[in-house]
Amino acid sequence: MTVLTVDDVVGELRDGMTVGVGGWGSRRKPMALVRAVCRAGLRDLTVVSYGGPDVGLLIAAGCVRRVVTGFVSLDSIPLEPHFRQARQDGTVELTEYDEGMLYWGLLAAANRLPFLPIRAGLGSDLMRINPTLRTVQSPYPDGSNLVAMPAVTLDAALVHLNRADRRGNARYLGPDPYFDDLFCLAARRRFVSCERLVSTADLIESGPPQGLLLNRMMVDGVVETPHGAHFTSCVPDYDRDEAFQREYATAAASPDTWGRFRAAYLYGDEEHYQKAVAAR
Amino acid sequence: MSRADVCVAACADAWRGDGAVLASTTGLIPRLGARLAQLTFEPSLLLTDGEATLTHADEPEGWLPYRAVFGVVAAGTRHVMMGASQIDRFGNQNISCVGDWHRPTRQLLGVRGAPGNTVNHTTSYWIPRHEPRVFVEHVDLVSGIGHDRGAVEIRVVVTDLAVLDFTTPDRSMRLRSVHPGVSVADVEAATGFPLTVPVSVPVSRSLTGPELALLRERLDPDGLREFR
């Protein structure tokens, strides 16, 4: 276990890796880590995500070969603009699953199972657009046919939580853990960024035991990134920055406006980003 | 009584008789319908705040993070009302993309939870603009499955013109009622496939006095439903 910087984390990643990103839509995304991956210019990543602006930024930076997801949304803005454009231009590949199937795939990987049976997907065009997807028959008297959702195994997982200690124990303070524990359990290398790095005693004190989502078996590196989920929500530390998200989504409309957005916020390091956001 | 009020009543009625199941919605009108149903004739219904908190009479009553929602989906104790960019006569629905999936002309939401919802539990749809490009012969991508592909139950499709259901021998779409001021011909012209039309088509019900008061005074005092 090590306390790292965002750039240390990126130094652990390689072109072509399958990288899982925690959070959900535009909620508690490890955006500081994502921005660092974009700056480093990693290539050919397969990004597994309940997609939000993490997927959009990585696509805009040219880091992504394939997206594995059930949706890519900004929540208050239904569709992620970079993802939409990339799909229509044919510049990213997509593996599209039902949201529950993606959960099941991560759960299978976390349990070192090759697949888990699930009903979701039966009868739908998911079976057509995922030609490697197979069904499995129950060996019991019901004999039912179910989708054999393959394990979604990750080379690396990036997640963001509210609090962590230096050992890699971490908790969420908001209403939903999302699937961050499963992303870590499904991955070979696991990196958690947090709003505040605290002592283990303070971590334990800061909420109920049920909020302690990650333990030391699940984490390889911890990074303190205050406001590191910006502009997604990280309640109760902060809500989504809706004004900034609108600015982001509007900027994505053309190469010109996107160039100006990038020049204003994304050409420097994380400290520069946070200063530029605060100064606007 | 406005058209939006009639639509809220029709959405609310979708959950009539459901008991203690999770009512999930996309969009304002279905959400108003579900809240109205819970506050009046269907008090056992479970609702959320749109995130991880279960609510009853708009007060918190429990916890339901996303991962638990997938458990509810698999258990079948849920009735969702989703939107549809396209829907066909057996209730197959598309919210993923328009055109060839491999290179869509318009990327939409992705399949989201539609495959799992439709194969596991009752599903209804809310369509704010009833038009031929939504009611199509064949959807471009089957996100939510219809009755010819193993759907548990597509109960109703509520639109700005009418209420449609699937109470036909082959469980294909039928006109259940037209909203006040809408003719059967209007609905047929706005639907891109042949509908089963009963000899006599009733007019969609209006909200009762107490329901209308609840909607105006408590659920939507700013009248946002009129700007859907």
Side-chain angles (χ1 to χ4, degrees):
Chain A
M1 169 54 46
T2 353
V3 175
L4 303 173
T5 66
V6 289
D7 294 320
D8 292 337
V9 171
V10 175
E12 301 274 337
L13 307 179
R14 298 287 175 268
D15 293 346
M17 273 189 171
T18 296
V19 179
V21 184
W24 172 284
S26 193
R27 303 174 199 197
R28 219 181 67 232
K29 286 287 176 177
M31 295 298 281
L33 294 176
V34 166
R35 285 185 283 268
V37 171
C38 293
R39 270 200 307 281
L42 285 174
R43 289 289 177 269
D44 295 328
L45 299 181
T46 292
V47 180
V48 179
S49 177
Y50 287 104
D54 52 326
V55 173
L57 274 175
L58 289 166
I59 286 174
C63 303
V64 183
R65 174 188 293 271
R66 174 175 293 272
V67 181
V68 179
T69 193
F71 64 85
V72 184
S73 171
L74 300 176
D75 291 330
S76 52
I77 298 169
L79 199 69
E80 216 298 328
H82 293 294
F83 173 71
R84 165 172 245 174
Q85 198 60 52
R87 279 283 286 150
Q88 293 171 187
D89 293 346
T91 53
V92 290
E93 295 168 21
L94 175 65
T95 299
E96 185 167 355
Y97 292 130
D98 170 89
E99 294 169 13
M101 289 170 74
L102 183 53
Y103 172 20
W104 243 225
L106 294 168
L107 194 62
N111 286 277
R112 291 191 299 143
L113 292 169
F115 69 89
L116 277 173
I118 188 168
R119 287 191 193 87
L122 291 173
S124 79
D125 273 341
L126 290 180
M127 307 308 287
R128 170 170 68 83
I129 62 177
N130 293 296
T132 60
L133 210 52
R134 295 285 177 269
T135 56
V136 62
Q137 190 177 2
S138 167
Y140 298 107
D142 64 285
S144 52
N145 262 301
L146 298 159
V147 174
M149 177 62 202
V152 177
T153 304
L154 309 171
D155 294 312
L158 309 176
V159 302
H160 184 81
L161 275 82
N162 301 86
R163 303 287 179 272
D165 70 9
R166 305 174 67 85
R167 300 175 188 159
N169 300 298
R171 73 156 68 244
Y172 67 103
L173 293 171
D176 202 315
Y178 308 120
F179 299 87
D180 290 358
D181 49 341
L182 283 180
F183 276 98
C184 288
L185 289 167
R188 296 184 185 89
R189 300 281 287 160
R190 298 76 47 96
F191 303 99
V192 54
S193 59
C194 64
E195 286 300 308
R196 276 199 0 235
L197 204 55
V198 295
S199 71
T200 305
D202 286 349
L203 179 73
I204 298 303
E205 278 296 296
S206 59
Q210 294 87 342
L212 293 163
L213 194 65
L214 305 181
N215 61 52
R216 291 186 288 110
M217 288 181 283
M218 301 160 70
V219 178
D220 297 295
V222 183
V223 193
E224 186 177 45
T225 58
H227 231 217
H230 183 270
F231 49 90
T232 69
S233 64
C234 188
V235 290
D237 291 315
Y238 46 89
D239 288 323
R240 184 180 306 132
D241 187 340
E242 293 287 359
F244 190 86
Q245 173 160 291
R246 273 196 302 279
E247 191 177 337
Y248 162 83
T250 309
S254 82
D256 266 10
T257 50
W258 182 247
R260 283 201 289 279
F261 182 91
R262 213 174 39 196
Y265 299 110
L266 299 175
Y267 78 91
D269 61 10
E270 180 65 16
E271 191 186 344
H272 171 270
Y273 172 83
Q274 296 293 349
K275 280 185 179 158
V277 166
R280 79 190 196 280
Chain B
M1 180 87 39
S2 69
R3 179 68 59 81
D5 294 338
V6 172
C7 293
V8 170
C11 288
D13 285 347
W15 287 282
R16 198 179 282 276
D18 273 342
V21 307
L22 179 67
S24 300
T25 57
T26 312
L28 175 66
I29 299 252
R31 169 132 188 93
L32 289 171
R35 288 170 70 201
L36 186 70
Q38 193 201 47
L39 286 171
T40 55
F41 56 81
E42 207 56 47
S44 302
L45 219 51
L46 287 94
L47 297 181
T48 74
D49 65 348
E51 301 206 15
T53 303
L54 287 164
T55 61
H56 194 265
D58 302 320
E59 296 294 330
E61 67 164 338
W63 186 50
L64 199 75
Y66 284 124
R67 63 181 65 193
V69 173
F70 293 127
V72 174
V73 169
T77 50
R78 185 168 182 254
H79 175 177
V80 67
M81 186 175 279
M82 291 188 283
S85 302
Q86 296 174 328
I87 190 165
D88 73 14
R89 61 190 289 263
F90 288 102
N92 293 290
Q93 166 252 29
N94 176 21
I95 49 171
S96 179
C97 64
V98 174
D100 176 13
W101 178 86
H102 294 92
R103 179 75 186 271
T105 51
R106 273 181 81 75
Q107 174 66 37
L108 304 172
L109 298 174
V111 296
R112 300 225 53 155
N117 293 345
T118 46
V119 83
N120 279 299
H121 58 67
T122 302
T123 300
S124 292
Y125 292 104
W126 158 244
I127 292 166
R129 283 180 62 88
H130 192 142
E131 54 189 9
R133 67 171 187 164
V134 177
F135 287 80
V136 293
E137 200 75 55
H138 298 287
V139 302
D140 291 350
L141 187 116
V142 177
S143 310
I145 61 174
H147 286 135
D148 58 341
R149 284 172 169 254
V152 171
E153 181 196 11
I154 313 298
R155 187 169 296 170
V156 288
V157 179
V158 179
T159 79
D160 59 337
L161 301 182
V163 181
L164 306 120
D165 64 21
F166 298 85
T167 56
T168 51
D170 63 354
R171 301 177 87 196
S172 62
M173 202 182 288
R174 179 194 81 127
L175 183 57
R176 173 183 285 189
S177 68
V178 289
H179 299 339
V182 177
S183 72
V184 170
D186 292 337
V187 176
E188 287 183 312
T191 305
F193 51 80
L195 274 175
T196 297
V197 180
V199 177
S200 165
V201 179
V203 174
S204 307
R205 82 164 175 104
S206 298
L207 291 167
T208 65
E211 286 173 340
L212 189 57
L214 205 54
L215 186 59
R216 284 183 178 159
E217 286 155 29
R218 176 164 171 186
L219 299 181
D220 186 28
D222 298 328
L224 297 177
R225 65 193 179 282
E226 302 298 338
F227 304 99
R228 68 195 187 279

